[in-house]
Amino acid sequence: MSVQERKERERAGRERLILATARELAEQQGWDAVTTRRLAERIEYSQPVLYSHFRGKREIIGAVALQGATELAAELRAATSAADGPRARVTALARAYLDFAERNPAVYDAMFQLDGGLAFAQEDTPEQLKDAFAALLENLGEVAGDGVHPGVFTELFWAALHGLATLTRAGRLPPEYAERRTRLLVDRLAVV
């Protein structure tokens, strides 16, 4: 292994450590607790080392959002691959999405609530975000209905899932009806 390869491997390891520590701190105490000084202390590197990887908290949030998008896409695909038939796939997709949001509140916030400097629904949208949307579209496009644009239907379904995730987490929806809401969403929106 060359010196350059070793340095690149060490740099990638530091970046993974920074992001893992930011995620852990955000999940424990919220994103307000994530500061470059606290991160530098926790990972035992100086702030200049941290800044050599990320220009600030916004870039860290963006990097966590991209990790989250990759994880969400994988979870959606895993959940839907085991389902039999369009209705079962859409139901599995909805449950997997809502479960992901519940299990990873800080990551979900980084993806959809906070400014991570990422472009959505544009030409320069990062591939990880496009792939997460594609994981939704792959299963929702087939149930959009005649004459309904699959992408627009996917946006609508995603917006409904996001609303459910956000309102549930905020305590605005009673948890005992979570499954009923998921079934109703699938029954009313998905044409199968």
Coordinates of all heavy atoms in Angstrom, one line a residue, residues 25-78:
L25 N -24.5 11.9 18.7 CA -24.8 13.1 19.5 C -26.2 13.7 19.2 O -26.9 14.0 20.1 CB -23.7 14.2 19.3 CG -23.7 15.4 20.2 CD1 -23.6 15.0 21.7 CD2 -22.5 16.2 19.9
A26 N -26.5 13.8 17.9 CA -27.8 14.3 17.5 C -28.9 13.4 17.9 O -30.0 13.9 18.4 CB -27.8 14.5 15.9
E27 N -28.7 12.1 17.9 CA -29.8 11.2 18.3 C -30.0 11.3 19.8 O -31.1 11.1 20.3 CB -29.5 9.7 17.9 CG -29.5 9.4 16.4 CD -30.9 9.5 15.8 OE1 -31.9 9.7 16.5 OE2 -31.0 9.4 14.5
Q28 N -28.9 11.5 20.6 CA -29.0 11.6 22.0 C -29.5 12.9 22.5 O -30.3 13.0 23.4 CB -27.6 11.3 22.6 CG -27.1 9.9 22.5 CD -25.7 9.8 22.9 OE1 -25.0 10.7 23.2 NE2 -25.2 8.5 23.0
Q29 N -29.0 14.0 21.9 CA -29.3 15.3 22.4 C -29.9 16.3 21.5 O -30.1 17.5 21.8 CB -28.0 15.9 23.0 CG -27.4 15.1 24.1 CD -26.0 15.6 24.6 OE1 -25.8 16.8 24.6 NE2 -25.2 14.7 25.0
G30 N -30.1 15.9 20.2 CA -30.6 16.8 19.2 C -29.5 17.5 18.4 O -28.3 17.6 18.9
W31 N -29.9 18.0 17.3 CA -28.9 18.7 16.4 C -28.3 19.9 17.0 O -27.2 20.3 16.7 CB -29.5 18.9 15.0 CG -29.4 17.7 14.2 CD1 -30.4 16.9 13.9 CD2 -28.3 17.1 13.6 NE1 -30.0 15.8 13.1 CE2 -28.7 16.0 12.9 CE3 -26.9 17.5 13.5 CZ2 -27.8 15.2 12.2 CZ3 -26.0 16.7 12.8 CH2 -26.5 15.6 12.1
D32 N -29.0 20.6 17.9 CA -28.4 21.8 18.5 C -27.2 21.5 19.3 O -26.3 22.3 19.5 CB -29.5 22.5 19.4 CG -30.5 23.2 18.6 OD1 -30.3 23.5 17.4 OD2 -31.6 23.5 19.2
A33 N -27.1 20.2 19.8 CA -25.9 19.8 20.6 C -24.7 19.5 19.7 O -23.6 19.4 20.2 CB -26.3 18.6 21.4
V34 N -24.9 19.4 18.4 CA -23.8 19.1 17.5 C -23.1 20.3 17.1 O -23.6 21.1 16.3 CB -24.3 18.3 16.3 CG1 -23.2 18.0 15.3 CG2 -25.1 17.1 16.7
T35 N -21.9 20.5 17.7 CA -21.1 21.7 17.3 C -19.7 21.2 16.9 O -19.3 20.0 17.4 CB -20.9 22.7 18.5 OG1 -20.2 22.0 19.6 CG2 -22.3 23.2 19.0
T36 N -19.0 21.9 16.2 CA -17.7 21.5 15.8 C -16.8 21.3 17.0 O -15.9 20.4 17.0 CB -17.0 22.4 14.7 OG1 -17.1 23.7 15.3 CG2 -17.8 22.4 13.4
R37 N -16.9 22.1 18.0 CA -16.1 22.0 19.2 C -16.4 20.7 19.9 O -15.5 20.0 20.3 CB -16.2 23.2 20.1 CG -15.3 23.1 21.3 CD -15.2 24.4 22.0 NE -16.4 24.6 22.8 CZ -16.7 25.7 23.5 NH1 -15.9 26.7 23.4 NH2 -17.8 25.7 24.2
R38 N -17.7 20.4 20.1 CA -18.0 19.2 20.8 C -17.6 17.9 20.0 O -17.1 17.0 20.6 CB -19.5 19.1 21.1 CG -19.9 20.1 22.2 CD -21.4 20.0 22.4 NE -21.6 19.0 23.5 CZ -22.8 18.6 23.9 NH1 -23.9 19.1 23.4 NH2 -22.9 17.7 24.9
L39 N -17.8 18.0 18.7 CA -17.3 16.9 17.9 C -15.8 16.7 18.0 O -15.4 15.5 18.1 CB -17.7 17.1 16.4 CG -19.2 16.9 16.0 CD1 -19.5 17.3 14.6 CD2 -19.6 15.5 16.3
A40 N -15.1 17.8 17.9 CA -13.6 17.7 18.0 C -13.2 17.1 19.3 O -12.3 16.2 19.3 CB -13.0 19.1 17.8
E41 N -13.9 17.5 20.4 CA -13.5 16.9 21.7 C -13.9 15.4 21.7 O -13.1 14.6 22.2 CB -14.3 17.6 22.8 CG -13.9 19.0 23.1 CD -14.8 19.8 24.0 OE1 -15.8 19.2 24.5 OE2 -14.6 21.0 24.2
R42 N -15.0 15.0 21.2 CA -15.4 13.6 21.3 C -14.6 12.7 20.4 O -14.3 11.6 20.8 CB -16.9 13.5 20.9 CG -17.8 13.9 22.0 CD -19.2 13.3 21.8 NE -20.0 13.6 22.9 CZ -21.1 13.0 23.2 NH1 -21.5 12.0 22.4 NH2 -21.8 13.4 24.2
I43 N -14.2 13.2 19.3 CA -13.4 12.3 18.4 C -11.9 12.5 18.7 O -11.1 11.8 18.1 CB -13.7 12.6 16.9 CG1 -13.3 14.0 16.5 CG2 -15.1 12.3 16.6 CD1 -13.3 14.2 15.0
E44 N -11.5 13.4 19.6 CA -10.1 13.6 20.0 C -9.3 14.0 18.8 O -8.1 13.6 18.7 CB -9.6 12.4 20.7 CG -10.4 12.1 22.0 CD -9.9 10.8 22.7 OE1 -9.1 10.0 22.1 OE2 -10.3 10.7 23.9
Y45 N -9.8 14.9 18.0 CA -9.0 15.6 17.0 C -9.2 17.1 17.1 O -10.2 17.5 17.8 CB -9.5 15.2 15.6 CG -9.0 13.8 15.1 CD1 -9.8 12.7 15.2 CD2 -7.7 13.7 14.6 CE1 -9.4 11.5 14.7 CE2 -7.3 12.4 14.2 CZ -8.1 11.3 14.3 OH -7.7 10.1 13.9
S46 N -8.4 17.9 16.6 CA -8.5 19.3 16.7 C -9.6 19.8 15.7 O -10.0 19.1 14.8 CB -7.2 20.0 16.3 OG -6.9 19.8 15.0
Q47 N -10.1 21.0 16.0 CA -11.2 21.6 15.2 C -10.6 21.8 13.7 O -11.4 21.5 12.8 CB -11.7 22.9 15.7 CG -12.7 22.6 16.8 CD -13.3 23.9 17.3 OE1 -12.6 24.8 17.9 NE2 -14.6 24.1 17.2
P48 N -9.4 22.2 13.6 CA -8.9 22.3 12.2 C -8.9 21.0 11.4 O -9.2 21.0 10.2 CB -7.4 22.8 12.4 CG -7.5 23.6 13.6 CD -8.4 22.8 14.5
V49 N -8.7 19.9 12.1 CA -8.8 18.5 11.4 C -10.2 18.3 11.0 O -10.5 17.9 9.9 CB -8.3 17.4 12.3 CG1 -8.7 16.0 11.8 CG2 -6.8 17.5 12.6
L50 N -11.2 18.6 11.9 CA -12.6 18.5 11.5 C -12.9 19.4 10.3 O -13.6 18.9 9.4 CB -13.4 18.9 12.8 CG -14.9 18.4 12.6 CD1 -15.2 17.6 13.9 CD2 -15.8 19.6 12.6
Y51 N -12.4 20.6 10.4 CA -12.7 21.5 9.2 C -12.0 21.1 8.0 O -12.4 21.5 6.9 CB -12.3 23.0 9.6 CG -13.3 23.6 10.5 CD1 -13.0 24.0 11.8 CD2 -14.6 23.9 10.1 CE1 -13.9 24.7 12.6 CE2 -15.6 24.5 10.9 CZ -15.2 24.9 12.1 OH -16.1 25.5 12.9
S52 N -11.0 20.3 8.0 CA -10.4 19.8 6.8 C -11.3 18.8 6.1 O -11.1 18.5 4.9 CB -9.0 19.2 7.1 OG -9.1 17.9 7.7
H53 N -12.3 18.3 6.8 CA -13.2 17.3 6.3 C -14.6 18.0 5.9 O -15.2 17.7 4.9 CB -13.5 16.2 7.2 CG -12.4 15.3 7.4 ND1 -12.2 14.2 6.6 CD2 -11.4 15.3 8.3 CE1 -11.1 13.5 7.0 NE2 -10.6 14.2 8.1
F54 N -15.0 18.9 6.8 CA -16.3 19.5 6.6 C -16.2 21.0 6.9 O -15.6 21.3 8.0 CB -17.4 18.9 7.5 CG -17.6 17.5 7.3 CD1 -17.0 16.5 8.1 CD2 -18.4 17.0 6.2 CE1 -17.2 15.2 7.9 CE2 -18.6 15.7 6.0 CZ -18.0 14.7 6.8
R55 N -16.7 21.9 6.1 CA -16.6 23.3 6.4 C -17.4 23.8 7.6 O -17.3 24.9 8.0 CB -17.0 24.1 5.1 CG -16.0 24.0 4.0 CD -16.4 24.8 2.9 NE -17.5 24.1 2.2 CZ -17.8 24.3 0.9 NH1 -17.2 25.2 0.2 NH2 -18.8 23.6 0.4
G56 N -18.3 23.0 8.0 CA -19.1 23.3 9.2 C -20.3 22.4 9.4 O -20.4 21.3 8.7
K57 N -21.1 22.7 10.3 CA -22.2 21.9 10.7 C -23.2 21.6 9.5 O -23.7 20.5 9.4 CB -23.0 22.5 11.9 CG -24.1 21.7 12.4 CD -24.7 22.4 13.6 CE -25.9 21.7 14.1 NZ -26.4 22.4 15.4
R58 N -23.4 22.6 8.7 CA -24.3 22.4 7.5 C -23.8 21.2 6.7 O -24.6 20.4 6.2 CB -24.4 23.7 6.8 CG -25.3 23.6 5.6 CD -25.4 25.0 4.9 NE -26.4 25.0 3.9 CZ -26.3 25.5 2.7 NH1 -25.1 26.1 2.4 NH2 -27.3 25.5 1.8
E59 N -22.5 21.2 6.4 CA -22.0 20.1 5.6 C -22.1 18.7 6.3 O -22.3 17.7 5.6 CB -20.5 20.4 5.2 CG -20.4 21.3 4.0 CD -19.0 21.4 3.4 OE1 -18.1 20.6 3.8 OE2 -18.8 22.2 2.5
I60 N -21.9 18.8 7.6 CA -22.1 17.5 8.4 C -23.5 17.0 8.3 O -23.7 15.8 8.0 CB -21.6 17.7 9.8 CG1 -20.1 18.0 9.9 CG2 -22.0 16.5 10.7 CD1 -19.6 18.4 11.2
I61 N -24.4 17.9 8.4 CA -25.9 17.6 8.3 C -26.1 17.0 6.9 O -26.8 16.0 6.7 CB -26.8 18.8 8.6 CG1 -26.7 19.1 10.1 CG2 -28.2 18.5 8.1 CD1 -27.4 20.4 10.4
G62 N -25.6 17.6 5.9 CA -25.7 17.2 4.5 C -25.2 15.8 4.3 O -25.8 14.9 3.7
A63 N -24.0 15.5 4.9 CA -23.4 14.2 4.8 C -24.2 13.1 5.5 O -24.4 12.0 5.0 CB -21.9 14.2 5.3
V64 N -24.7 13.5 6.7 CA -25.6 12.6 7.4 C -26.9 12.3 6.6 O -27.3 11.2 6.5 CB -25.9 13.1 8.8 CG1 -27.0 12.3 9.5 CG2 -24.6 13.1 9.7
A65 N -27.4 13.3 6.0 CA -28.6 13.2 5.1 C -28.3 12.2 4.0 O -29.2 11.4 3.7 CB -29.1 14.5 4.6
L66 N -27.2 12.3 3.4 CA -26.8 11.4 2.3 C -26.7 10.0 2.8 O -27.2 9.0 2.1 CB -25.6 11.9 1.5 CG -25.7 13.2 0.8 CD1 -24.4 13.6 0.2 CD2 -26.8 13.2 -0.2
Q67 N -26.1 9.8 3.9 CA -26.0 8.5 4.5 C -27.4 7.9 4.8 O -27.7 6.8 4.5 CB -25.2 8.5 5.9 CG -23.8 8.6 5.8 CD -23.1 8.6 7.1 OE1 -23.7 8.9 8.2 NE2 -21.8 8.2 7.2
G68 N -28.2 8.8 5.3 CA -29.6 8.4 5.6 C -30.4 8.0 4.4 O -31.1 7.0 4.4
A69 N -30.2 8.7 3.3 CA -30.9 8.4 2.1 C -30.5 7.0 1.6 O -31.3 6.2 1.1 CB -30.6 9.5 1.0
T70 N -29.2 6.7 1.7 CA -28.7 5.4 1.2 C -29.3 4.3 2.1 O -29.7 3.3 1.6 CB -27.1 5.4 1.3 OG1 -26.6 6.4 0.4 CG2 -26.6 4.1 1.0
E71 N -29.3 4.6 3.4 CA -29.9 3.6 4.3 C -31.4 3.4 4.1 O -31.9 2.2 4.1 CB -29.6 4.0 5.8 CG -28.2 3.9 6.1 CD -27.8 4.7 7.4 OE1 -28.7 5.1 8.1 OE2 -26.6 4.9 7.6
L72 N -32.1 4.5 3.9 CA -33.5 4.4 3.6 C -33.8 3.6 2.4 O -34.7 2.8 2.3 CB -34.2 5.8 3.6 CG -35.7 5.9 3.2 CD1 -36.5 5.2 4.3 CD2 -36.1 7.3 3.1
A73 N -33.1 3.9 1.3 CA -33.3 3.2 0.0 C -33.1 1.7 0.2 O -33.9 0.9 -0.3 CB -32.4 3.8 -1.0
A74 N -32.1 1.4 0.9 CA -31.8 -0.1 1.2 C -32.9 -0.7 2.0 O -33.3 -1.9 1.7 CB -30.5 -0.2 1.9
E75 N -33.4 0.0 3.0 CA -34.5 -0.6 3.8 C -35.8 -0.7 3.1 O -36.5 -1.7 3.2 CB -34.6 0.2 5.1 CG -33.5 0.1 6.1 CD -33.7 0.7 7.4 OE1 -34.9 0.9 7.8 OE2 -32.7 1.1 8.1
L76 N -36.1 0.3 2.2 CA -37.3 0.2 1.4 C -37.2 -1.0 0.5 O -38.2 -1.7 0.3 CB -37.5 1.5 0.7 CG -37.8 2.7 1.5 CD1 -37.9 4.0 0.6 CD2 -39.1 2.6 2.4
R77 N -36.1 -1.1 -0.2 CA -35.9 -2.2 -1.2 C -36.0 -3.6 -0.5 O -36.6 -4.5 -1.0 CB -34.7 -2.1 -2.0 CG -34.8 -0.9 -3.0 CD -33.6 -0.8 -3.9 NE -33.8 0.2 -4.9 CZ -33.2 1.4 -4.9 NH1 -32.2 1.7 -4.0 NH2 -33.5 2.3 -5.9
A78 N -35.4 -3.7 0.7 CA -35.4 -5.0 1.4 C -36.8 -5.3 1.9 O -37.2 -6.5 1.7 CB -34.5 -4.9 2.7

